[in-house]
Amino acid sequence: MTDQDAYQRALDNAERLLGQPLVLPLGEGEPPVGQDFRRLATVQTFGEAWPREGLDLRSRCLVSVAVAATLGTHEPLRGQLRIALSSGVTKEEIVEVFIHLAAYAGAARAFDSYQVVGAVFAERP
């Protein structure tokens, strides 16, 4: 498989998980080599990590939500929540993750990240 094939496979998997194409344009003032970063990160994440067989999809979704919330990375959390909801994880299960997160990562982090949860839940009544 060529590098381009691996990248396309990763993009296809990302679109399947996200429910829409993954678009990562270069930012204003960013050098062209930034596209290499986007390609490598996409292949590693959606081409290598997500398709592995060691965890089922629901488990990967819940782990990914918990990690993004714990790190306080709001945009990745938004994407992980969308993936989780599109993959059959319920809103109630996501709330349970945040209850557990508050106990282990701290209430302040959980409440901060939970603001993203509310916004994503509002997208899906």
Side-chain angles (χ1 to χ4, degrees), residues 3-98:
D3 286 348
Q4 186 57 38
D5 291 338
Y7 184 47
Q8 188 57 55
R9 184 182 70 174
L11 288 173
D12 292 344
N13 194 40
E15 183 172 354
R16 181 181 62 77
L17 289 166
L18 291 166
Q20 62 188 33
L22 178 66
V23 179
L24 300 170
L26 290 176
E28 186 176 330
E30 187 176 1
V33 72
Q35 193 58 45
D36 290 340
F37 165 72
R38 285 163 173 67
R39 181 182 49 76
L40 291 169
T42 300
V43 168
Q44 181 181 24
T45 302
F46 291 106
E48 296 174 3
W50 274 96
R52 292 180 55 83
E53 294 181 12
L55 292 174
D56 62 22
L57 180 60
R58 290 177 59 76
S59 296
R60 279 190 203 285
C61 289
L62 293 171
V63 167
S64 297
V65 165
V67 169
T70 300
L71 292 174
T73 54
H74 289 184
E75 275 311 304
L77 175 56
R78 192 177 317 279
Q80 295 307 321
L81 289 164
R82 289 174 180 145
I83 290 171
L85 291 167
S86 295
S87 299
V89 174
T90 68
K91 291 179 178 181
E92 292 79 11
E93 288 171 317
I94 290 170
V95 173
E96 287 294 332
V97 167
F98 277 81

